[in-house]
Amino acid sequence: MGKNTRQEPRQLQGHDERNIARLALALAQNRIPSTLQSWEKQLTVDALGAIHVKCVSRADAVVPHGLDNDIIIGLVNAFVEQGLPNAGVIQLSAYRLLTLAGLTVGGRQYSEVLEGLRRLQGSTFAITESWFDGRQHQWVSEEFSIISSFARVDATEIAEEIGTLRADTILEIQLARAITRSVRSGHLRPLDLEFYSQLSQPMVRTLYRSLEERRAPLGKVPTDAYTVSTRNWGEHLGMHGWRLDKIRRALEPAHQELLDTAYLVEVIYTGRGEGQQITYRFGQVAAPPNTELVALLTRNGLSAPNAVKTVQAYAAQVEATVAAFGRVVSQARTPVKNRQGLLVDMFRNPERYAEYFSSESAAESGPAREFPKKTRSVTKTVEAPAGDEDWEAQQAKAWREMRPEARERRMLSLLQMMMGDHLSAEEMAVISTLVGNGTLDGLEFSRRLTRALADKTQVDLAAEFRVLIEV
């Protein structure tokens, strides 16, 4: 096969179409009842006027919700990135859509995105005098599906992959005319995808976008506080008919996360019963930590919030610790089941893993870490120091005795962890397959990966890999 030379650019600055953000067309909840096929809201949550929206899904589906909010972000960003195509049709890979949506790239996400695309195509929104026309500068009524049509092109010949969404699946998507007109008129709000992607759940991200529209309303001076009825706010975000205490419980984790990021400085409830209100006091988004270090940690198993906190606490030790983590994983007799737990423990208790921290990687990453002189705790998955001849033989034997599919899974996991920024999904899949069928030596490849991570020579190694797998 030829090399895949396509490079997906990183997306730091995104865009949010302001009508969609203000109206909260997709419900904020990650999960909804399987019978929820329609909803209607007619309420007031800001000074711009009443919101009146009705949504109806097709008979065999539910209304858009959860991750669908992020997919909409990705579609708007793709439309802008591709120069506002006249026909309103965008073409992009599924991988690129996830990137433009600020979502983590992974197998499970692709299946969820496919379902989300279907919901956005199969659901109709009827908006009554609540959609702002940026060309005519007036509130109008619109009725549309966010996606008018979409098709996918996939060259796979593997039976089980036919009909699924993969990284290199090409999507052709026709956006609703109302949306493309609004974007062309410039009715957009800048969206920092670095910050947005660090928010952990659809509820948090949807709340953040909705609050942004109230913090700096169209044509008005930004405010430092926003007060809204708890009942109306819950209904607006999709919690139709919920008890007030349930709305508060659903919002609590999202509130806490936005407080932790310093986007909010205070959330206050006042009043009782149906008269209860929420007041949000806005701060400034905290200066983001080193995004490359955050990305390095998320690729190695940490959730985005944990990665941010870890970089804030251990920035100087991140690269050395990840390199050591790579050695532990590659030298383990059995696959590490709790990668996040292991990596966190290596930051908190580095002395337990002192032999895996090489002096070279520590020197390159910052000041060497000094460890207390005490006996290292030996886990079941790490039983001997690197360099031990008997242990090397055991490792080689373990690789040889693995079933082909286990070798392939192990190699794919290591590649995603250590080479995710340097090889395409297709290239990693090819290498893993060759390791699985015995064409390439898995143990030798894992050693080379670890050395490259420690020496920061992943780019050179990726070039070697491409030459190796090219036919």
Side-chain angles (χ1 to χ4, degrees), residues 377-390:
S377 299
V378 181
T379 68
K380 293 183 179 179
T381 58
V382 181
E383 296 186 1
D388 186 285
E389 294 181 2
D390 290 340

Side-chain angles (χ1 to χ4, degrees), residues 196-214:
Y196 182 76
S197 65
Q198 291 169 14
L199 303 177
S200 65
Q201 295 294 326
M203 175 69 79
V204 191
R205 297 191 288 269
T206 304
L207 176 62
Y208 163 66
R209 291 170 54 223
S210 296
L211 285 173
E212 273 292 271
E213 280 301 307
R214 278 77 200 179

Side-chain angles (χ1 to χ4, degrees), residues 66-82:
L67 203 70
D68 302 349
N69 286 287
D70 304 305
I71 297 173
I72 296 170
I73 290 289
L75 296 175
V76 170
N77 282 324
F79 184 65
V80 174
E81 181 181 68
Q82 294 179 19

Side-chain angles (χ1 to χ4, degrees), residues 80-143:
V80 174
E81 181 181 68
Q82 294 179 19
L84 314 180
N86 289 333
V89 177
I90 55 178
Q91 292 182 324
L92 74 168
S93 69
Y95 176 91
R96 187 61 182 155
L97 177 58
L98 284 177
T99 304
L100 291 170
L103 292 172
T104 303
V105 176
R108 183 174 63 87
Q109 297 281 46
Y110 290 117
S111 62
E112 292 183 354
V113 165
L114 180 56
E115 290 304 310
L117 291 172
R118 288 170 175 158
R119 285 190 292 268
L120 293 173
Q121 181 189 13
S123 299
T124 301
F125 296 91
I127 302 167
T128 304
E129 297 183 354
S130 308
W131 184 272
F132 185 75
D133 187 324
R135 297 176 304 168
Q136 300 180 24
H137 296 278
Q138 63 183 14
W139 299 98
V140 300
S141 297
E142 294 281 359
E143 186 167 337

Side-chain angles (χ1 to χ4, degrees), residues 35-232:
T35 56
L36 186 50
Q37 297 182 319
S38 67
W39 54 261
E40 184 172 7
K41 62 184 177 185
Q42 190 167 2
L43 43 77
T44 300
V45 290
D46 56 35
L48 296 180
I51 289 174
H52 186 186
V53 182
K54 183 176 182 180
C55 175
V56 179
S57 74
R58 65 180 186 227
D60 61 343
V62 294
V63 296
H65 62 279
L67 203 70
D68 302 349
N69 286 287
D70 304 305
I71 297 173
I72 296 170
I73 290 289
L75 296 175
V76 170
N77 282 324
F79 184 65
V80 174
E81 181 181 68
Q82 294 179 19
L84 314 180
N86 289 333
V89 177
I90 55 178
Q91 292 182 324
L92 74 168
S93 69
Y95 176 91
R96 187 61 182 155
L97 177 58
L98 284 177
T99 304
L100 291 170
L103 292 172
T104 303
V105 176
R108 183 174 63 87
Q109 297 281 46
Y110 290 117
S111 62
E112 292 183 354
V113 165
L114 180 56
E115 290 304 310
L117 291 172
R118 288 170 175 158
R119 285 190 292 268
L120 293 173
Q121 181 189 13
S123 299
T124 301
F125 296 91
I127 302 167
T128 304
E129 297 183 354
S130 308
W131 184 272
F132 185 75
D133 187 324
R135 297 176 304 168
Q136 300 180 24
H137 296 278
Q138 63 183 14
W139 299 98
V140 300
S141 297
E142 294 281 359
E143 186 167 337
F144 57 80
S145 295
I146 289 174
I147 294 176
S148 300
S149 64
F150 83 92
R152 57 186 187 275
V153 179
D154 199 335
T156 184
E157 296 179 357
I158 302 173
E160 13 336 337
E161 291 183 348
I162 295 175
T164 64
L165 211 61
R166 300 183 300 122
D168 54 359
T169 302
I170 299 300
L171 301 167
E172 183 175 283
I173 299 170
Q174 170 83 59
L175 290 174
R177 188 180 175 193
I179 295 174
T180 59
R181 281 201 313 257
S182 183
V183 173
R184 286 195 184 98
S185 74
H187 196 49
L188 295 168
R189 176 188 295 281
L191 179 67
D192 181 355
L193 282 180
E194 286 291 326
F195 174 74
Y196 182 76
S197 65
Q198 291 169 14
L199 303 177
S200 65
Q201 295 294 326
M203 175 69 79
V204 191
R205 297 191 288 269
T206 304
L207 176 62
Y208 163 66
R209 291 170 54 223
S210 296
L211 285 173
E212 273 292 271
E213 280 301 307
R214 278 77 200 179
R215 184 187 66 81
L218 178 65
K220 297 186 182 296
V221 177
T223 181
D224 61 0
Y226 165 65
T227 299
V228 64
S229 155
T230 304
R231 167 64 66 198
N232 283 2

